[in-house]
Amino acid sequence: MLTSSMNSSDLLRILSADHERIIRWGQYRIKEMRSELLRGMKDKIWKYFDYHTDNADYIIVIHCNRAGKFGIIRFAYIKETNEYLTKIQCVPGYNAISVHMLHRYAERVLKNKNLSIGETLLAFSQQNMSIVIYHDDTNFVAANGKGLVLMKYDARRDIICMKTFVSLDMLKESQYSAWEKVSEILKSKQEFKSFTAQRKGMIGEEKWKSLVDIDDKQVLSKQEAFELYATFYKE
C-alpha cells in the first residue's frame, strides 16, 4: 500500500503496476456507460467508482460521450497523510490532493458540506481545466473556472500538494483581479480542447501557442500572491 515515506519515484513504480489492470476494468465500465447514454438523451456521462488493488485504494472517475471518446482519472488514497494522489494538467508528475482541500471545494464551490469524497472528486475533475498563475520555490497558485487552488511543493517526496481551494466569492477585489487576469486564457484552453476533439490533428503548434502563451500581465505579481497566502494559505 501507499505510505507517506514514498517519494515520486516509488509512487510511480507502484501505481504503474496497476495501470493496465485499471484500464481493462475501465473499458467494461465505459461500455456500460455508453449503453446508458444510448438509452437516454445525454451526450456525455461522468461517474466515479471505488476500486481496490493490493497496491492502493482508488477512486476512479470515468467520463465518455456518444462518439466513444473517454477519460479515466485515478485518485489513489494515502491514509497516513489523508490525501489522494493523481495527475493534473498544469503541474508535472504526481500531485497530492488533501482531503481538507476537497472539503473546502465541496463547501465553497458545490455549497454542500455533506458530499462524499467521490462526489467531490467527480465535480472537481469536471472543472479541472487549470493553469499555474504563480509559483516560487515551494508555493504554487493554480486557477480554474471556479477559483484558485493553493499548493505547496513537498521536496522530500518530490510532489506538489494541493492544500486548499479559494472560491471566487471569497476573493477581495485585488485578489479577484488576479484570477480575472487568466480567465480568458482558461476559456482559450477549453476552446482549444473542444477544437482538437472535433478536428484531431488539424491544428498546428503555432495555433496552440497563440491560445496558451501567457504574458507578464496575465500572471500574479509577488504582491498579489502574498495577499492570497496571507489570507488563506495557513488553513
Side-chain angles (χ1 to χ4, degrees):
M1 299 295 286
L2 305 179
T3 68
S4 61
S5 62
M6 293 177 177
N7 61 27
S8 59
S9 297
D10 300 325
L11 296 168
L12 176 62
R13 173 177 50 81
I14 291 177
L15 295 181
S16 294
D18 285 337
H19 178 74
E20 292 301 324
R21 178 180 177 179
I22 289 174
I23 293 298
R24 289 194 301 269
W25 170 85
Q27 295 293 341
Y28 287 103
R29 304 291 80 77
I30 291 164
K31 185 177 180 180
E32 294 169 353
M33 291 165 65
R34 287 201 66 206
S35 296
E36 185 176 337
L37 277 177
L38 295 174
R39 292 194 302 269
M41 300 298 292
K42 295 181 179 179
D43 293 324
K44 182 181 289 187
I45 188 170
W46 289 71
K47 287 190 175 184
Y48 77 90
F49 304 87
D50 294 315
Y51 190 80
H52 172 79
T53 73
D54 290 340
N55 295 319
D57 292 318
Y58 294 93
I59 291 176
I60 310 289
V61 172
I62 300 177
H63 60 90
C64 66
N65 63 18
R66 285 177 176 267
K69 295 185 181 296
F70 65 89
I72 300 174
I73 309 168
R74 296 187 293 171
F75 298 93
Y77 185 57
I78 305 177
K79 185 176 181 179
E80 289 175 289
T81 52
N82 201 26
E83 58 192 12
Y84 284 85
L85 204 68
T86 192
K87 289 186 176 182
I88 62 172
Q89 295 172 336
C90 65
V91 180
Y94 280 104
N95 319 110
I97 306 178
S98 70
V99 169
H100 171 84
M101 197 220 80
L102 294 172
H103 287 323
R104 288 292 177 264
Y105 189 82
E107 174 187 359
R108 295 171 176 174
V109 175
L110 306 176
K111 308 302 182 184
N112 188 345
K113 295 180 181 180
N114 299 318
L115 288 178
S116 68
I117 295 299
E119 290 169 318
T120 306
L121 282 171
L122 178 65
F124 182 68
S125 298
Q126 290 173 291
Q127 283 292 329
N128 203 22
M129 178 64 71
S130 56
I131 187 167
V132 172
I133 58 176
Y134 173 83
H135 71 87
D136 55 29
D137 290 340
T138 59
N139 300 313
F140 292 76
V141 178
N144 71 12
K146 298 296 183 180
L148 302 173
V149 183
L150 275 60
M151 304 178 281
K152 266 190 173 295
Y153 176 62
D154 183 335
R156 181 183 63 80
R157 294 192 294 166
D158 189 29
I159 60 175
I160 293 175
C161 305
M162 302 184 200
K163 293 297 187 180
T164 196
F165 192 91
V166 182
S167 57
L168 296 180
D169 60 353
M170 298 176 66
L171 300 179
K172 294 184 292 186
E173 183 176 350
S174 60
Q175 295 167 338
Y176 184 83
S177 68
W179 175 86
E180 206 169 28
K181 282 184 177 183
V182 294
S183 62
E184 288 303 314
I185 203 168
L186 286 166
K187 291 178 185 176
S188 296
K189 287 185 71 176
Q190 186 61 56
E191 289 168 4
F192 172 77
K193 185 179 179 181
S194 299
F195 184 90
T196 53
Q198 296 172 19
R199 303 183 178 225
K200 189 173 182 180
M202 295 181 65
I203 188 166
E205 184 179 355
E206 288 186 6
K207 179 66 173 177
W208 162 248
K209 287 184 176 181
S210 73
L211 287 174
V212 302
D213 274 354
I214 307 175
D215 61 36
D216 290 340
K217 294 179 181 179
Q218 290 174 303
V219 298
L220 288 181
S221 69
K222 288 185 178 180
Q223 180 59 37
E224 288 170 324
F226 174 78
E227 283 197 47
L228 292 169
Y229 294 135
T231 307
F232 300 111
Y233 211 84
K234 294 182 180 179
E235 288 193 359

